[in-house]
Each structure stands twice: as structure tokens, then as C-alpha cells.
């Protein structure tokens, strides 16, 4: 598998923690210039600090992906700083719903759809023209195994991730002849700060999460990052419009 990343440029949203941070660090380790974007200034700056401390090249840009002006500015700053955009990992997302569908609120719906769906759409809206102009590029969007099936007591979240996969597949077909590949990554339960917070609130969730994965454990952010790098690599040159599950076999049951 060819991993010819050196000297290229990647944008990672939600880069301040979890999967986004792990992927930003992995990109940088492969020699990419990384633009780490997050609404969390402290987290995003810490990711950049770690990249730079390891000898990598990185820039932090504060970005709320639900705001078109922020997303537009993020892409403009990327090109103004590094001259191009080769890879985009649209990873920013939230998971705030824990109840039956009829118990959900409009505020929950708007918040989840705003970040998870509108955010991905806005990012691609401004990334795709840049990639067309330069002759190609790769986009990976973060969906979820909840986007490939049902997620009881997380129906809004599940719907948002189904929507991400729909956006991904549609964009992949629209831009396939422009040398732009668009795929989605669909993690199972991953050991992130978000998961740990849920586990602290209800320790049973951690035990259940491990049990539903045939491998008998939850995944790591670094394992998801490796899958993202594969989808961006030349080794995946004939892969587009695909939703790749990284789930320890959960969907195979």
C-alpha cells in the first residue's frame, strides 16, 4: 500500500480530541501539513502543539462547522497558508441524545443535525471546488455503525449518520470523474473522551459496549485513524462512495 503523503495538506475537523486528534497526529507523522480545526480552542491548540513538538507542521483554526462563514474561512486559510488541500477528514460531530424517539426534543434534533449533517455538508461544499480546481483530492467523512443500522435510544444521532453516508455516496458519484474520492468511516464504540464521559455516568455502558463487539473490547482512536489514512492513501485509489465499518465485527453478527 502506497502512503505517499509527505508534503501534502490535510484538514481535520474535530481535531481537538478523540478520533480527530488521533488522525491529525497520524497525518502529521506521515509528513503532511495538518490544519487542525475545532470549536474547542484549547483542545485544537494542544493537538497542534503535540504535532509541532514531534517535528511536524500544523496550524490551528477555530471553526464551528455549523457556521458557513467559519467553514469558508477555514478552507481559505488552509489554501492561503499551504497552497492547496489534498485531504479532508470531516470528523466534527456530537452525540447528546439518550432516550426514546418520542422523548427527544427539537433542540436536540437541531443540535445533532446541525453539527453532524450540516457541518459535513458545509465542509464538502467548500472543499470540493478547491479539489476540482487543483485536479483531485480525497474526502473522508465520519459516520458511524449507527448510520448502517438501528440505534435504539439514539434515533436522531442514527439518522444524522445515515445522512452523512448519503451525502458521502452522492458526492462520490458526482465527483468521481474529477479525480476526487469521497468515503465514510463508520466506527463502532471507540475509547474517546466522549465515551469515557458516558461510562462515568453509567458504568454499565462500558461493559455493554465491550460485549457487543465480537473482539471483546472497544476500539481505539488510533485504529480508526489508521483506517482513515488507508482511505486517503493511493492503496485505496479505486475506492469511493464506500462506508467502511471499523467495529470489531459488531455488524457481522
Amino acid at each position: 500500500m502506497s502512503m505517499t503523503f509527505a508534503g501534502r495538506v490535510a484538514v481535520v475537523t474535530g481535531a481537538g480530541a478523540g478520533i480527530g486528534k488521533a488522525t491529525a497526529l497520524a497525518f502529521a507523522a506521515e509528513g503532511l501539513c495538518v490544519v487542525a480545526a475545532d470549536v474547542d480552542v484549547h483542545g485544537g491548540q494542544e493537538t497542534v502543539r503535540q504535532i509541532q513538538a514531534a517535528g511536524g507542521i500544523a496550524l490551528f483554526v477555530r471553526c464551528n462547522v455549523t457556521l458557513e462563514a467559519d467553514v469558508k474561512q477555514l478552507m481559505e486559510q488552509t489554501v492561503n497558508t499551504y497552497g492547496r488541500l489534498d485531504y479532508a477528514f470531516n470528523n466534527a460531530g456530537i452525540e447528546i441524545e439518550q432516550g426514546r424517539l418520542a422523548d427527544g426534543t427539537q433542540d436536540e434534533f437541531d443540535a445533532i443535525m446541525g453539527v453532524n449533517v450540516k457541518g459535513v455538508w458545509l465542509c464538502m461544499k467548500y472543499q470540493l471546488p478547491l479539489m476540482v480546481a487543483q485536479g483531485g483530492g480525497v474526502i473522508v467523512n465520519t459516520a458511524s455503525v449507527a448510520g448502517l443500522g438501528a440505534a435504539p435510544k439514539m434515533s436522531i444521532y442514527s439518522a444524522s449518520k445515515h445522512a452523512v453516508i448519503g451525502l458521502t455516496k452522492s458526492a462520490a458519484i458526482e465527483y468521481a470523474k474529477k479525480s476526487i474520492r469521497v468515503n465514510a468511516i463508520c466506527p463502532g464504540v471507540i475509547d474517546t473522551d466522549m465515551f469515557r464521559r458516558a461510562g462515568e455516568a453509567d458504568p454499565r455502558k462500558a461493559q455493554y459496549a465491550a460485549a457487543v463487539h465480537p473482539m471483546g473490547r472497544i476500539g481505539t482512536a488510533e485504529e480508526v485513524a489508521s483506517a482513515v489514512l488507508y482511505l486517503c492513501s493511493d492503496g485505496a485509489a479505486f475506492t469511493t462512495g464506500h462506508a467502511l465499518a471499523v467495529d470489531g465485527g459488531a455488524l457481522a453478527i
Side-chain angles (χ1 to χ4, degrees):
M1 180 176 68
S2 176
M3 299 285 277
T4 53
F5 290 135
R8 298 185 184 180
V9 180
V11 165
V12 178
T13 67
I19 292 169
K21 180 176 183 177
T23 305
L25 294 172
F27 272 139
E30 293 290 337
L32 280 89
C33 302
V34 177
V35 179
D38 206 301
V39 72
D40 175 9
V41 173
H42 175 75
Q45 289 178 338
E46 176 59 19
T47 297
V48 168
R49 187 197 67 77
Q50 291 183 25
I51 290 172
Q52 293 174 341
I57 300 171
L59 168 72
F60 170 69
V61 178
R62 186 188 183 282
C63 179
N64 180 338
V65 296
T66 70
L67 301 178
E68 184 169 9
D70 276 23
V71 174
K72 183 174 184 288
Q73 191 266 340
L74 168 63
M75 302 313 161
E76 289 176 346
Q77 191 165 347
T78 297
V79 174
N80 290 341
T81 302
Y82 297 118
R84 57 187 298 111
L85 172 61
D86 298 290
Y87 309 104
F89 181 38
N90 299 320
N91 167 72
I94 59 173
E95 178 182 351
I96 60 176
E97 172 196 14
Q98 296 290 331
R100 295 182 183 275
L101 188 149
D103 297 326
T105 68
Q106 184 167 292
D107 286 345
E108 286 178 327
F109 185 93
D110 291 344
I112 294 170
M113 290 295 179
V115 178
N116 293 4
V117 183
K118 182 182 178 183
V120 169
W121 173 75
L122 279 173
C123 285
M124 289 201 293
K125 173 180 172 65
Y126 284 95
Q127 292 157 357
L128 287 163
L130 295 175
M131 292 179 174
V132 169
Q134 71 188 20
V138 182
I139 295 173
V140 178
N141 298 319
T142 296
S144 167
V145 292
L148 295 169
K153 296 188 177 181
M154 295 176 62
S155 58
I156 305 170
Y157 177 81
S158 177
S160 76
K161 294 305 185 178
H162 276 79
V164 168
I165 293 172
L167 288 170
T168 297
K169 291 183 175 183
S170 297
I173 300 306
E174 290 176 4
Y175 290 88
K177 293 183 179 179
K178 299 292 185 180
S179 298
I180 298 171
R181 296 189 295 106
V182 187
N183 293 291
I185 198 82
C186 298
V189 180
I190 306 298
D191 186 13
T192 63
D193 290 342
M194 183 183 294
F195 171 73
R196 293 187 201 107
R197 287 193 298 270
E200 289 171 0
D202 185 354
R204 293 172 300 178
K205 290 182 179 179
Q207 296 174 351
Y208 174 76
V212 299
H213 295 80
M215 286 187 172
R217 65 175 178 87
I218 62 174
T220 69
E222 290 74 20
E223 287 169 330
V224 181
S226 293
V228 174
L229 263 65
Y230 164 69
L231 289 174
C232 289
S233 76
D234 293 343
F238 201 53
T239 301
T240 195
H242 181 63
L244 176 62
V246 183
D247 67 345
L251 291 179
I253 298 175

